[in-house]
Amino acid sequence: MRYFLAIIGGGPAGYTAAEKASKAGKEVVLFEQNAVGGTCLNVGCIPTKSLLYGAKQYYNATHAQKYGVTAENVTFDFAAMQKRKTIVVRKLVAGIKQRINNEHCTLVSGFAKVESRTDELVTIECNGETYEAENLMICTGSTNFVPPIPGIKDNPAVWDSTDALAAAELPKSIIIVGGGVIGMEFATLYHELGIPVTVIEALPTILPNLDPEVVSVLADKYKKAGINILTETRVESIDGGKVTANGEVYEAERILVSVGRRANLNGLEALKDIELNRGAIVIDDFCKTNLPNVYACGDVTGKIMLAHVAARQAEVAVGRMLKQIPLQRIAYNAIPSVVYTNPEIASVGITEAQAAELNIETEVRKLPMTFSGRFMAENEGETGLCKMIIDAKKKSVLGVHMIGNPCSEFVAAASFAVRMGYTTAEFEQVVFPHPTVSEILHEIL
Ligand code: NAD
């Protein structure tokens, strides 16, 4: 059979595209070498959030005195946490299979390799069979980057995030190399379960891409709580569980290396003319590559490595392929992002620094989260922070950056304001329920 669309990779980009195109009646073949759901569902977002939730329950139980609750002999069972994580993932993977289970969608389990491509036809080999399609969508994702640090390769003490998630037992102590999103989420997990944690970050701050004031609230809290955060520290070498950085030696049972991810281009070697930038596939506003019938979505494009970006890219790409009117572009300026530390960080839109780079004159408003009654009631000892970046001339909302639980759950309201280009006066007309922490977005206006 000749398919309308062949998709390589069944993560959030691939399964979203498969669902949308097949439900529009187009014949689709989706190739996935592991389980559908990709990194996010199987070895990323969902398993980490499942474990983090377990850790938070334990941490809250042992830190509830401030709410007048004392619990004695609180213990946790890491094996039970891992089992629950596996069940959550299994159920969600089954749900994804259900979503793409229709007469127009064929799911093929195996490693797919592009054999040839013309402007009319792409041929793909998988499990010894050849598949033909008019269009190709590359959704092959990314893999953990292994930096060229001596002693990292074939060192059983060194983990990447996938190893850490699969571990049957907790490490007795851990050094995390890279204080980015993955590093700080794992630092949270281990710290809340009572494991000594050292974070080694090469740049002057952890989470260097986020608003520095918001990040400093987290860094101060974590340092006070006993997490050893070393910034401007370069790892020179690793030997077993020993890490040499800035001339000092640090030691732990395990070393988690989380210094970024790289686009996965395996199986695409036949697409010799595809345009790349720093090892990622270059796409236009509709996720089209430079090759007429080839699209790419998700981490492999190196745009913003987030599952919700991948899914939105897939919607836009399929819309473009199906020539849906009006054609929609992705609003990269209004993509929310969350770091699941405790407290959580959530942001959308540009930071003050990015506004300055773009020569945009801004007005910056700041408010502690304690201006929200619900926040006060539920976050004893925390102050939190909400920052809004406003275009000084147009008075439109350009960015919102927050720290404080549960800001991940209402950052979408701020995304809406940024996406729609709301002025502060327009955003002020939105009514937020009382008492909720989301009211901070109204208080700050
Ligand atoms: P990252 O880019 O967020 O962070 C990597 C960090 O490592 C940076 O702070 C960098 O300065 C530091 N670093 C690089 N080389 C170093 C070295 N040799 N020594 C010490 N520090 C070094 O990458 P990540 O944390 O690996 O995450 C990968 C991707 O996955 C990111 O794009 C992230 O957004 C995504 N992700 C998102 C979520 C979420 O949305 N909650 C969760 C996990 C991962």
Side-chain angles (χ1 to χ4, degrees):
M1 186 201 297
R2 182 187 280 211
Y3 292 90
F4 170 75
L5 173 62
I7 304 167
I8 306 183
Y15 70 69
T16 303
E19 184 182 16
K20 190 169 157 86
S22 62
K23 286 191 175 161
K26 298 290 184 186
E27 295 305 320
V28 176
V29 57
L30 171 65
F31 301 96
E32 171 54 59
Q33 57 184 335
N34 298 314
V36 289
T39 300
C40 171
L41 227 69
N42 295 288
V43 287
C45 326
I46 300 302
T48 44
K49 264 79 267 175
S50 303
L51 290 178
L52 275 166
Y53 193 73
K56 203 186 222 177
Q57 298 306 310
Y58 173 71
Y59 186 82
N60 286 345
T62 51
H63 290 75
Q65 296 90 337
K66 55 191 176 182
Y67 300 107
V69 177
T70 311
E72 281 165 14
N73 302 323
V74 182
T75 57
F76 66 85
D77 177 350
F78 188 63
M81 287 182 184
Q82 284 284 37
K83 193 172 165 198
R84 178 179 167 272
K85 172 204 84 178
T86 306
I87 293 168
V88 169
V89 169
R90 202 178 294 148
K91 281 184 185 164
L92 288 168
V93 167
I96 297 298
K97 279 193 182 155
Q98 206 54 43
R99 276 171 59 176
I100 56 174
N101 182 20
N102 67 60
E103 57 185 326
H104 299 296
C105 186
T106 305
L107 175 62
V108 179
S109 293
F111 177 78
K113 191 169 181 284
V114 177
E115 268 189 342
S116 65
R117 190 206 73 87
T118 64
D119 288 356
E120 288 75 41
L121 196 70
V122 182
T123 58
I124 292 165
E125 188 274 325
C126 186
N127 303 330
E129 302 267 329
T130 299
Y131 297 81
E132 293 181 339
E134 289 166 40
N135 298 289
L136 170 67
M137 189 185 282
I138 302 167
C139 305
T140 47
S142 61
T143 47
N144 286 308
F145 173 62
V146 182
I149 296 173
I152 242 182
K153 279 207 177 128
D154 303 320
N155 180 343
V158 172
W159 276 352
D160 63 18
S161 56
T162 308
D163 301 322
L165 285 171
E169 284 175 21
L170 279 171
K172 290 188 180 57
S173 54
I174 192 152
I175 294 171
I176 298 176
V177 180
V181 188
I182 294 183
M184 294 318 297
E185 290 188 0
F186 276 97
T188 306
L189 173 71
Y190 294 123
H191 170 69
E192 295 201 331
L193 293 177
I195 310 297
V197 177
T198 296
V199 177
I200 301 182
E201 167 59 50
L203 294 179
T205 170
I206 54 166
L207 300 167
N209 298 326
L210 301 182
D211 178 274
E213 266 181 290
V214 161
V215 171
S216 75
V217 175
L218 183 79
D220 290 349
K221 181 185 171 185
Y222 275 15
K223 281 179 193 166
K224 269 191 207 131
I227 300 181
N228 187 17
I229 298 179
L230 308 167
T231 50
E232 287 185 273
T233 305
R234 288 219 158 256
V235 175
E236 285 136 23
S237 63
I238 300 180
D239 179 9
K242 287 189 182 134
V243 177
T244 305
N246 286 11
E248 301 278 330
V249 179
Y250 304 89
E251 191 168 6
E253 189 191 348
R254 298 282 173 197
I255 298 154
L256 171 65
V257 177
S258 50
V259 295
R261 296 177 63 86
R262 294 291 179 272
N264 180 13
L265 302 174
N266 292 340
L268 308 174
E269 294 76 9
L271 300 174
K272 285 188 196 70
D273 298 331
I274 199 160
E275 191 185 345
L276 301 178
N277 181 19
R278 295 212 222 145
I281 298 177
V282 176
I283 51 168
D284 69 9
D285 285 353
F286 304 103
C287 305
K288 230 165 167 285
T289 70
N290 61 316
L291 305 177
N293 50 352
V294 180
Y295 295 73
C297 299
D299 286 7
V300 75
T301 67
K303 282 268 189 192
I304 308 176
M305 289 192 180
L306 295 173
H308 43 285
V309 173
R312 181 65 191 140
Q313 286 177 326
E315 288 170 356
V316 166
V318 172
R320 166 75 170 71
M321 240 177 263
L322 301 179
K323 301 186 174 64
Q324 285 176 345
I325 303 292
L327 279 180
Q328 293 176 1
R329 289 166 207 267
I330 301 168
Y332 286 109
N333 66 319
I335 302 290
S337 71
V338 175
V339 189
Y340 293 85
T341 44
N342 189 8
E344 300 169 348
I345 295 176
S347 46
V348 62
I350 58 174
T351 58
E352 268 178 284
Q354 286 162 342
E357 270 171 36
L358 295 166
N359 282 325
I360 301 172
E361 204 184 311
T362 56
E363 180 197 334
V364 179
R365 297 191 192 169
K366 298 178 201 177
L367 212 57
M369 286 287 199
T370 45
F371 272 66
S372 147
R374 175 96 183 266
F375 185 86
M376 283 291 277
E378 297 184 355
N379 293 273
E380 189 60 43
E382 306 274 351
T383 49
L385 179 63
C386 178
K387 276 179 80 168
M388 188 176 273
I389 317 297
I390 297 159
D391 186 313
K393 288 199 186 101
K394 296 181 192 155
K395 299 291 174 205
S396 54
V397 182
L398 298 177
V400 174
H401 308 274
M402 299 181 279
I403 180 163
N405 293 332
C407 59
S408 63
E409 287 299 336
F410 59 86
V411 68
S415 305
F416 195 79
V418 175
R419 173 69 185 89
M420 303 314 285
Y422 275 8
T423 61
T424 49
E426 284 165 333
F427 199 23
E428 215 170 1
Q429 295 175 44
V430 175
V431 177
F432 291 87
H434 178 75
T436 61
V437 184
S438 69
E439 287 172 287
I440 199 71
L441 293 174
H442 190 73
E443 292 295 324
I444 201 167
L445 292 169

